[in-house]
Amino acid sequence: MAEVEFDPAAVTDEVSEGIGEIREASDLEELKALKSRYSGAGSAMARASRAIGSLSADRKKTAGQLIGKLRADFGRAYGLKEGQLQQEEEDRRLRAERVDMTLPVDRKPQGARHPLTRLMEDVEDFFVSMGWRIAQGPELEAEWYNFDALNFGPDHPARQMQDTFYVKGNQARDAAGFVGSNMVMRTHTSPDQARSLITRGVPLYVACTGRVFRTDELDATHTPVFHQCEAIAVDEHLTMADLKGVLDKLAAAMFGPEARTRLRPSYFPFTEPSAEMDLWFPDRKGGPGWIEWGGCGMVNPNVLRSAGVDPDKYSGFAFGVGMERTLLLRHDINDMHDLVEGDVRFSQQFEMGE
Ligand code: PHE
C-alpha cells in the first residue's frame, strides 16, 4: 500500500498557528469556531491522523507520537482559554445584574390630586385675584334655598323627582333661622346666591364651587354627582357689561388668551334677563367653534327681595359653569368615566411636568 502524503512540519505549523489564534480569541463563540477549523474533519491534524495508517511501521510510530503531542498541546491551550473566557463572561453577567441594595425604595406609591380639585382651585384663584370672596354652601340643602328663594314657582318642572334627589324626613334649620323646608341634594350651586346675600349682605362679590346632584345615569357625558362654580356680584350700578367682562376674563384664564364668550337669550327663574353662555374654543378637535359652557344673567329682583336686598338700589349678575365640562374641554377628555372612577393613573397624568 502506498504511503499517503504526511508532512510533519506542515501539521506542526498549522497547529501552532491555531494555538496562537486560540490565545487571542475574545469570546466563546470565536473559540469554538477555531476548534473546528484546527481540529475538525478538514484540519491538517485530522488529515494527518487519517494518513498514519498508511505509513511504514517506523514512520508510524514517530508520526503517532507527534500527532498525540500536537493534540494534547492544542487541547490544553483550548481548555485554558475556554475556562478563562467562561470566567470573564460570568463576571460580566454578574456586573450587569448587580442590584444596589442601598437605593431607597418607594414602599408607599404616591397618590395624585384629582384634576378636578386642581381646576376648582384655579377657578377660585381667578376670583380671589379680582378681590372676590370664596364661599361654600351645604350639599344637603333646604328646598327653599335650592328653589323658592331662586324664584322657582311651586310647580316648576325642575322640582320634579326626575331631576332632584329629595331627602326624606329632614326639616331645614339653618344659621339664617329658616325652618320648615324639605331637604334636597342641591341640584345647582345657585342656592349659594341667596345664602351669600342673606349672610353677607351687599355689596357682594362671591364665588362658590362645589358638588351638585341630579338624578342622571352615569354615561360618557353625564354623572349624577358633578361640580359647578357659581359667581354672584351685587352692587350699585352693575350691568350686563360687567357680567360679560368677567366671563371673558374667566374664559381666558381657563382656556388661554384667544378664548372668549358669547351670550344667547335663555330663561332661568333667578335671572332676568337670562342667557346661555358659549365659549369660543380655539383648540377644539375638528376646528375652533362655540361650545355651550354655562348659564348666566342679571339677578332677578325677586331673588334680591327674598334675601332682603332693595332691587331699586342694587343690581347684580350671576353665572354658573360646570367644572367637569370645563375639564373635559380643556384637556380633551372624551369619557366622564375617567373623571369619576378614581384610577390614580388618570390623575397622575395631570401632575407631570410640575
Ligand atoms: N344654576 C344654573 C344651572 O345649573 C346656572 C346658572 C347660574 C344660570 C347662575 C344663571 C345664573 O344650570
Side-chain angles (χ1 to χ4, degrees), residues 244 247-248 251 259-263 277-280 290 293:
K244 184 66 165 62
L247 289 174
D248 282 341
R260 59 186 190 279
T261 60
R262 77 174 178 192
L263 305 184
M277 184 254 294
D278 297 335
L279 169 74
W280 174 252
W290 292 103
W293 192 28

Side-chain angles (χ1 to χ4, degrees), residues 187-190 193 214 228 230 268 270-271 295-297 318-320:
T187 58
H188 51 177
T189 41
S190 296
Q193 293 184 21
R214 288 185 202 175
Q228 287 185 334
E230 189 84 12
F268 297 101
F270 41 97
T271 45
C296 63
F319 63 87

Side-chain angles (χ1 to χ4, degrees), residues 207-218:
C208 318
T209 55
R211 242 180 235 131
V212 302
F213 307 82
R214 288 185 202 175
T215 56
D216 283 326
E217 294 288 333
L218 176 64

